[in-house]
Amino acid sequence: CCLRWLNELGLRRMSGVIALGRRQLQRLQTYRHWNPAPDFAAVAPPWDLRPIHRVDAQANRVLNRLSCHGKKVALYSGNLGEGHLFAQFIDAARWFHNHGRMDWLFVFVVRGSGRPGLEVMGANLPNLRVLDYLPESETPDLLWSATVHLISMKPSWEGVIVPSKLFGALQTNAPVLFLGPLDADTAAEIQMTGRGMSLPPTATGEDVMRALDDLAEPAWIRAPHTDANAPRRVAEFITR
């Protein structure tokens, strides 16, 4: 209630709002002090215009450090906080391990409140690694180490958070697996770009396993994608 009151107070004083997706805009429009004027809001998804150049596998410092050449990498990179799921990813890693499938390595390069629980749940899995954030200079190596990028969101967080990690992942040729509400902005972006698939929060570890095996097929490899339109839309909205 306190946070909603603060949001209401802010909306009364704002000249305009930039939403990070359609779902976030819909959530904002439920506030009492929302300004219904058509020029009060603009929608601009997050973007990542860093030069994330391709890094071939043999030269990839992350793959070399993890000694995982020949394995497929399911990569979760970024914040693992209150709004993110991870148990199903661990269940999938456990399923692969229990069935003698050591061709997948689950790599979490994370900080956030969810990390301690992740470390406890995955402590005995040899096919799961948890790392701290890497130097910025290794960002291309990290993102290009993925066979599949992992993104997640808990139910009821749609429109509250819009994971920006998707937009770095899109600068590689690897597909994305999103675990979260199917009406979230992230799911919509993945569907629009054709860069992966989404599973609902009720999905099981076996559902994640099957999705990963599907996404590892060569048919899912795409050319890197960067949307440079969002910064322009923000600039035009601010200067209007």
Side-chain angles (χ1 to χ4, degrees), residues 146-192:
T147 306
V148 177
H149 293 275
L150 303 177
I151 303 176
S152 71
M153 182 188 298
K154 288 182 179 178
S156 79
W157 284 77
E158 59 267 38
V160 178
I161 59 175
V162 180
S164 60
K165 59 175 66 67
L166 170 64
F167 301 90
L170 292 179
Q171 290 204 56
T172 74
N173 63 4
V176 177
L177 176 59
F178 173 63
L179 177 66
L182 298 183
D183 64 341
D185 291 317
T186 301
E189 196 77 19
I190 290 171
Q191 182 177 21
M192 182 185 69

Side-chain angles (χ1 to χ4, degrees), residues 24-168:
Q24 189 170 90
L25 178 62
Q26 292 169 1
R27 183 178 285 268
L28 287 168
Q29 289 171 334
T30 65
Y31 285 92
R32 287 186 299 114
H33 293 290
W34 176 257
N35 185 339
D39 61 348
F40 180 69
V43 175
W47 61 87
D48 191 337
L49 300 181
R50 294 174 297 176
I52 301 176
H53 57 273
R54 182 188 181 97
V55 181
D56 292 329
Q58 295 304 317
N60 191 296
R61 289 172 286 183
V62 174
L63 292 176
N64 290 332
R65 190 177 303 132
L66 293 171
S67 300
C68 59
H69 288 289
K71 294 183 181 292
K72 291 168 282 193
V73 175
L75 174 68
Y76 186 108
S77 174
N79 182 50
L80 188 66
E82 295 298 325
H84 302 105
L85 299 164
F86 60 84
Q88 292 95 323
F89 297 145
I90 295 177
D91 288 343
R94 185 173 292 110
W95 190 98
F96 281 120
H97 174 62
N98 291 343
H99 287 78
R101 288 277 309 274
M102 299 308 293
D103 52 322
W104 278 98
L105 181 67
F106 289 71
V107 178
F108 292 82
V109 183
V110 296
R111 291 180 183 172
S113 60
R115 177 167 171 167
L118 171 71
E119 291 176 324
V120 170
M121 291 182 66
N124 298 318
L125 289 172
N127 58 345
L128 188 147
R129 311 283 176 83
V130 181
L131 308 175
D132 198 1
Y133 284 180
L134 302 179
E136 186 176 356
S137 61
E138 294 188 19
T139 298
D141 299 74
L142 176 63
L143 294 182
W144 279 92
S145 72
T147 306
V148 177
H149 293 275
L150 303 177
I151 303 176
S152 71
M153 182 188 298
K154 288 182 179 178
S156 79
W157 284 77
E158 59 267 38
V160 178
I161 59 175
V162 180
S164 60
K165 59 175 66 67
L166 170 64
F167 301 90

